[in-house]
Amino acid sequence: GGDLKTRCALRAGTTAFTHMHNEELAASAPGISKEDIKKYGYWPLTKHMVRQVLPSDRDMAAEGPIYISGHSQGGARASLVSMWLEKEDGKKYRTYALSPVGCQCFARKLSFLPGSSNGHNYLEDVDPYVNHDQIVAYLHPFDFYAL
């Protein structure tokens, strides 16, 4: 059940996101500048896409079940979004990451990204040092990127 448009909105957005290889296209989202993309990477765009589907002023008590999922880099982003929404909105969404590029350790290492050295602290958005029982990661034991 559920609204197909809402369920597929992030999927369509992430498909477009995957094909964005330049700052011009990524910065075409309202409120995101080319400078932000250069400074912070695609994290502002990811948050913007989520807020298009899950606005911060929505009635969370009335919403039905919402699942967040992704594969590979999308699995890592799904995990980050889940951690961010838990911290930002105080609500946990069941999240499935299939062969994600790292799990919570991925978020812990965000401080080593170029965006962090330019002033953005990703730990302001997520807390990878607490247990996030809403996130389920399916990993292959020989996938060293996922461990």
Side-chain angles (χ1 to χ4, degrees):
D3 179 12
L4 181 62
K5 182 179 177 184
T6 301
R7 288 188 296 139
C8 295
L10 280 178
R11 182 173 182 193
T14 53
T15 300
F17 177 81
T18 302
H19 298 289
M20 291 182 187
H21 295 294
N22 66 59
E23 294 89 12
E24 303 281 336
L25 186 56
S28 65
I32 299 175
S33 70
K34 187 175 176 181
E35 290 72 32
D36 285 344
I37 298 299
K38 284 183 176 181
K39 186 173 182 179
Y40 306 124
Y42 290 121
W43 181 235
L45 182 60
T46 300
K47 294 190 302 184
H48 174 78
M49 288 169 37
V50 170
R51 285 300 182 206
Q52 295 302 303
V53 178
L54 300 172
S56 57
D57 61 349
R58 71 193 181 283
D59 182 5
M60 289 185 271
E63 65 189 12
I66 295 174
Y67 301 98
I68 303 170
S69 65
H71 170 262
S72 192
Q73 184 187 65
R77 288 191 179 279
S79 298
L80 287 173
V81 165
S82 183
M83 289 187 268
W84 173 61
L85 288 172
E86 180 182 2
K87 188 172 183 179
E88 187 80 9
D89 295 351
K91 185 167 182 180
K92 292 183 177 185
Y93 293 97
R94 195 69 172 151
T95 303
Y96 298 95
L98 307 171
S99 298
V101 181
C103 294
Q104 285 178 284
C105 62
F106 174 77
R108 291 179 190 145
K109 295 189 182 291
L110 283 176
S111 61
F112 297 113
L113 292 178
S116 296
S117 65
N118 290 334
H120 184 71
N121 182 358
Y122 289 87
L123 298 180
E124 291 175 2
D125 292 332
V126 300
D127 186 354
Y129 296 101
V130 299
N131 182 36
H132 292 279
D133 57 355
Q134 78 275 18
I135 301 172
V136 177
Y138 293 97
L139 313 170
H140 189 281
F142 294 117
D143 183 358
F144 62 90
Y145 288 114
L147 299 176

